[in-house]
Amino acid sequence: MANETSTASEMPANPIVLTAQSLGSPSAHVILGTTIVQVYDRDGAIHECRALLDSGSQINFITQEFCNKLRLITTSTDTTISGIDESTIRLSHKAILKLQARGTGFKTTITCLITPRITDNMPNIKIDRNLIEIPAGIELADPVFDDSRPIDHLIGAGLFWDLLCVGQIKTSRDQPCFQKTKLGWIVTGNIRSQSSHNKASCYMITNAQLHQQVEKFWIYEECAQNSGAPPLNLSDPCE
């Protein structure tokens, strides 16, 4: 029997979502985990979809272009999204997406917000695959993870942690981590970059509560520098 789960629940009214890709220096790069999954269109036909796995996101996303390709039935929603540059957009539709792993038998159904664009092509720098030690005998979730290509779908934390399996390989400090999931082995983590192009990507969806908390943090930090008070712990619900 196929391993099937459903996470097509209602999305939070005030989502706080964060997805980020960063470079610590021109000689280092962080790979974010990507996977190729099979998804069903409106008529039940299967298509391949490239997804980003994001443990920091409370919501799943699908691009408008890919949603149109699948001809999914959409329903109305009203979600305001604030970017890290303080720009805001409002997403007005969502859809239910049925997906499955290419070879493990895993299936699930999830609700996705429909957005014009999720992120830049990933990875956003050239990766020399010959310098990455891919362990023998593993099936990569994204066989061409090193090829800069579009992202059609983002899988958030609601499903991310359920996908993880026991099994992790890291051969050295300069090599990425290979993590076993129900979708196959994903490649993620720090690598030594072969590019001098220092580019970072960060995308944040927030709400007023988070904005107030961050504002409070900076006010406190400014006062603390002058008074010698300990740093504010934002994770403490009593703060």
Side-chain angles (χ1 to χ4, degrees):
M1 180 179 294
N3 183 5
E4 185 164 359
T5 183
S6 176
T7 58
S9 58
E10 287 300 315
M11 292 172 291
N14 296 301
I16 301 174
V17 181
L18 173 66
T19 174
Q21 178 172 343
S22 62
L23 298 179
S25 70
S27 62
H29 181 70
V30 177
I31 298 178
L32 299 183
T34 56
T35 178
I36 304 297
V37 294
Q38 295 177 334
V39 296
Y40 291 83
D41 67 17
R42 189 171 183 171
D43 298 324
I46 294 176
H47 302 257
E48 285 202 338
C49 170
R50 190 170 189 237
L52 169 66
L53 297 177
D54 184 4
S55 63
S57 172
Q58 290 180 324
I59 297 179
N60 310 297
F61 293 88
I62 187 172
T63 64
Q64 181 71 65
E65 180 180 2
F66 202 74
C67 184
N68 292 343
K69 179 179 179 179
L70 301 179
R71 294 181 294 111
L72 297 178
I73 298 174
T74 64
T75 55
S76 298
T77 185
D78 187 8
T79 305
T80 300
I81 301 177
S82 299
I84 199 167
D85 59 355
E86 297 183 356
S87 62
T88 61
I89 62 171
R90 176 169 290 177
L91 297 184
S92 57
H93 291 88
K94 59 185 177 180
I96 293 177
L97 181 68
K98 183 177 181 181
L99 64 86
Q100 65 185 26
R102 291 178 300 142
T104 66
F106 175 81
K107 296 181 179 181
T108 191
T109 302
I110 57 178
T111 300
C112 301
L113 276 178
I114 302 170
T115 179
R117 181 168 164 270
I118 294 173
T119 183
D120 292 336
N121 286 2
M122 295 184 58
N124 57 14
I125 67 167
K126 179 176 176 56
I127 294 177
D128 187 347
R129 191 185 181 100
N130 295 323
L131 299 181
I132 297 180
E133 302 169 6
I134 300 176
I138 69 171
E139 182 177 354
L140 294 178
D142 185 355
V144 285
F145 67 92
D146 55 310
D147 187 11
S148 182
R149 291 172 296 132
I151 295 294
D152 307 305
H153 174 39
L154 183 147
I155 297 174
L159 178 60
F160 176 89
W161 297 107
D162 291 335
L163 293 175
L164 297 186
C165 303
V166 176
Q168 189 179 100
I169 303 171
K170 187 172 177 66
T171 58
S172 70
R173 183 177 180 179
D174 293 334
Q175 289 292 312
C177 173
F178 295 83
Q179 173 65 52
K180 186 177 182 180
T181 77
K182 295 176 182 178
L183 304 176
W185 290 77
I186 60 172
V187 186
T188 184
N190 292 308
I191 63 168
R192 188 171 297 279
S193 173
Q194 299 85 52
S195 171
S196 60
H197 182 52
N198 189 8
K199 180 179 180 180
S201 303
C202 185
Y203 307 89
M204 182 165 58
I205 301 168
T206 184
N207 62 7
Q209 182 181 8
L210 181 61
H211 173 77
Q212 292 167 3
Q213 205 172 39
V214 172
E215 185 178 46
K216 182 179 179 182
F217 169 81
W218 288 115
I219 293 173
Y220 187 96
E221 282 293 290
E222 184 176 353
C223 295
Q225 289 178 1
N226 297 326
S227 65
L232 178 63
N233 183 5
L234 286 179
S235 63
D236 190 341
C238 297
E239 290 288 346

